[in-house]
Amino acid sequence: MEDTMPKRPWLFNLRSSKQLIGLAVFSTTFTDGFLYGIVVSVLPFSLTVRSGVPEADVPFWTSTSLAVFGLAMVLGAPIAGWIVGKCERRQIPFLGGLSCAFGATLSFMLGVKPWMIIVARIFQGLSAGVVYTAGLTLLVDTIESHELGPWIGFGLSGMNFGVLVSPTLGGIVYEKAGFYPVFIMGLGVVLVNLILILLMIDRKSAEKYREQNSSSKNSSFPNENSTKSAISNGKRRLSTVEDGDSTTTTPLLSQCRETSSAVAKDPSWWTIVGGFLRNNRILAALYGCLINTILVSAMDAVLPIFIKQTFHWFSGATGAMFLNLTIPSLIGPFVGMISDKYGVRMISGFGFTLAAVAVTLLSLIRHDDTTNKAMACVLLFGVGIGLNTSLTPLVAEIPRIVNVIQDEQPDIYGDKSAVTEAYMLLDASFGAGTVLGPLLSELAFEYLGWTGCTVMLGFLAISAIVPVMVHLAPNPKGR
């Protein structure tokens, strides 16, 4: 009989481990950030050299490509949430998202007309929508609640690390080898990511093999007293549950709930999303993520213009200035760890406060001298720390809020986790921020100048502090 049981896949323990799954999510967000960064570094040159766009029209096409990228994320978020929610195997939505990324990279590489660049941006936005929703859901599905913060920070840091290294690599390859090798490099990153996704074994698939293995062992001892076993994933412990004892450590998506018998079926998509949009805790976290993304994309839009006008630097020095914003992204896992210990309210509130102060003080940068350049570096580093400190706790807090909501209203939400729908809304917030950031900052910079633009961004950062401090949990025990 044992020969008929399916064998575990090769390297099963490694492929189903939280370490490999976390690395796969990191690789996915890195791929998204890397592709985004190499396009930003090459697009201004390729539009004039390959597409024949006049220099005066390059800002229009660049801004348009960023806007459609964000709109594609917003409009694609419901589709991404539906796909991720329906697929039991987590690899499937990843493969769809990576296929969009592959197609977008090919379109960038082969497209000559500006409209083809816009189409490629649309596919890139759809890809980002799927992979972030799927990746964050997979982490919540795999990692236990008390460890979620560092792993969310690690997963999100892939995006920032990709944005950090891609302009430099893209610029060097473009200068030394030409246009096509830049995107061949991008396709190679997508393929490496694809291999990691195919190698990993998600929790549900891993549990099936563990359950079969457990059943085959139990069948070898028919005379033993029967007890109820709690089947665990790579993180959960296998335990014996006696009558009245149900202490099993599980990830958030696997927590068992006593639900009302009135729940005859799973709630509809509209019921879940509508309920979330009426919940102050979810809205506070989403608003904080929206403001964070607006600040990031706003700096991407106006900082290069300001540096060029004030310091008269070219692309290389401007890219080096952006390192002050992106290097703090490497503290993501540490931020997640301390937010798990001290609570999202304190850590995220501190991050927005620091970002508000630092971005407002950037208005003092006015002259082309050593003092102003040093101040700019220090303040941008402060903005980077603030942005990264504020985002990770909010993203890690969302599944905990969902868990509390479902516990409070089991007759409405049932016992099937709705984390995917919550991260779908988060993805829409990211997309909306990507659209609003360049739009608001460019309008403010044009009509109010650098001082007015930085003060506006400072007020936006302050506006996120209030809902975070009022509606989110003060400490881990307060959840």
Side-chain angles (χ1 to χ4, degrees):
M1 291 294 291
E2 292 185 0
D3 293 338
T4 63
M5 297 293 292
K7 293 183 178 180
R8 286 185 175 186
W10 59 283
L11 298 176
F12 173 79
N13 290 332
L14 173 63
R15 293 170 61 190
S16 62
S17 66
K18 64 181 181 182
Q19 287 81 8
L20 183 67
I21 291 174
L23 180 62
V25 174
F26 174 90
S27 173
T28 301
T29 60
F30 173 83
T31 299
D32 176 74
F34 187 86
L35 296 180
Y36 179 89
I38 62 172
V39 170
V40 169
S41 65
V42 172
L43 191 60
F45 303 100
S46 65
L47 281 172
T48 54
V49 176
R50 298 185 75 247
S51 303
V53 175
E55 190 72 32
D57 294 338
V58 168
F60 167 78
W61 286 106
T62 303
S63 299
T64 302
S65 70
L66 286 173
V68 298
F69 172 83
L71 287 173
M73 286 185 68
V74 174
L75 298 177
I79 301 173
W82 184 83
I83 292 173
V84 175
K86 291 293 182 181
C87 294
E88 289 191 5
R89 292 195 63 192
R90 296 303 186 195
Q91 281 95 336
I92 295 175
F94 276 114
L95 295 178
L98 288 175
S99 297
C100 285
F102 194 89
T105 308
L106 279 178
S107 298
F108 278 121
M109 183 171 69
L110 302 177
V112 176
K113 300 294 183 181
W115 66 266
M116 294 187 69
I117 305 299
I118 301 302
V119 171
R121 274 297 197 192
I122 292 174
F123 278 104
Q124 196 176 37
L126 293 174
S127 168
V130 174
V131 298
Y132 281 105
T133 303
L136 293 172
T137 301
L138 180 63
L139 283 179
V140 178
D141 198 10
T142 305
I143 308 299
E144 286 188 39
S145 176
H146 68 277
E147 290 186 322
L148 194 57
W151 284 97
I152 290 288
F154 177 66
L156 290 177
S157 66
M159 173 189 65
N160 294 306
F161 189 61
V163 174
L164 174 66
V165 302
S166 55
T168 303
L169 288 176
I172 293 174
V173 173
Y174 183 78
E175 182 180 345
K176 301 295 183 181
F179 178 81
Y180 290 105
V182 173
F183 291 97
I184 293 174
M185 176 176 62
L187 293 174
V189 171
V190 176
L191 291 176
V192 171
N193 188 190
L194 179 63
I195 292 172
L196 280 173
I197 295 300
L198 292 175
L199 279 176
M200 77 174 189
I201 300 175
D202 61 81
R203 179 186 60 84
K204 289 185 178 180
S205 300
E207 281 187 349
K208 291 178 181 178
Y209 288 106
R210 293 190 177 100
E211 187 173 9
Q212 290 167 351
N213 185 62
S214 177
S215 299
S216 64
K217 288 182 178 180
N218 289 339
S219 63
S220 301
F221 303 98
N223 294 327
E224 283 194 5
N225 294 329
S226 61
T227 57
K228 291 183 287 182
S229 297
I231 307 302
S232 64
N233 67 356
K235 179 61 192 170
R236 289 188 287 178
R237 57 185 171 82
L238 188 63
S239 64
T240 300
V241 183
E242 305 291 348
D243 292 337
D245 181 19
S246 58
T247 55
T248 306
T249 304
T250 65
L252 285 176
L253 291 192
S254 304
Q255 289 185 357
C256 298
R257 301 181 178 91
E258 295 291 335
T259 57
S260 171
S261 59
V263 181
K265 58 181 179 180
D266 292 331
S268 67
W269 185 88
W270 291 107
T271 299
I272 295 173
V273 174
F276 287 165
L277 292 177
R278 292 190 297 269
N279 185 275
N280 289 331
R281 288 169 290 183
I282 288 284
L283 290 178
L286 292 177
Y287 182 74
C289 294
L290 171 68
I291 295 300
N292 185 284
T293 310
I294 288 176
L295 294 174
V296 171
S297 58
M299 298 304 291
D300 287 341
V302 300
L303 186 60
I305 302 173
F306 172 75
I307 290 175
K308 183 178 180 180
Q309 293 178 353
T310 305
F311 298 151
H312 310 292
W313 287 352
F314 294 104
S315 58
T318 302
M321 182 66 80
F322 268 94
L323 293 177
N324 296 290
L325 281 171
T326 52
I327 285 178
S329 65
L330 301 179
I331 68 174
F334 173 73
V335 171
M337 181 178 65
I338 61 174
S339 68
D340 279 353
K341 184 175 182 180
Y342 296 105
V344 62
R345 177 187 293 184
M346 178 187 295
I347 304 305
S348 188
F350 167 78
F352 279 119
T353 302
L354 177 59
V357 172
V359 77
T360 303
L361 289 176
L362 281 172
S363 62
L364 300 176
I365 309 300
R366 298 175 181 272
H367 306 292
D368 183 13
D369 56 41
T370 303
T371 301
N372 277 259
K373 292 173 183 176
M375 285 177 58
C377 290
V378 172
L379 291 174
L380 286 173
F381 192 78
V383 173
I385 293 178
L387 293 176
N388 285 280
T389 303
S390 61
L391 181 62
T392 298
L394 294 176
V395 178
E397 186 72 3
I398 286 176
R400 296 173 181 139
I401 298 173
V402 171
N403 196 55
V404 171
I405 293 173
Q406 292 191 250
D407 282 341
E408 291 174 347
Q409 298 177 297
D411 55 326
I412 296 177
Y413 292 99
D415 61 351
K416 181 180 178 181
S417 179
V419 170
T420 297
E421 286 78 5
Y423 276 144
M424 176 209 73
L425 294 174
L426 173 68
D427 188 54
S429 298
F430 285 159
T434 305
V435 176
L436 293 174
L439 176 64
L440 294 175
S441 61
E442 287 174 0
L443 286 174
F445 187 70
E446 181 178 354
Y447 292 103
L448 302 176
W450 175 248
T451 299
C453 180
T454 53
V455 170
M456 180 205 69
L457 295 177
F459 274 116
L460 285 176
I462 291 173
S463 74
I465 299 173
V466 176
V468 165
M469 299 300 291
V470 171
H471 295 296
L472 297 184
N475 54 65
K477 295 181 180 179
R479 294 180 181 125

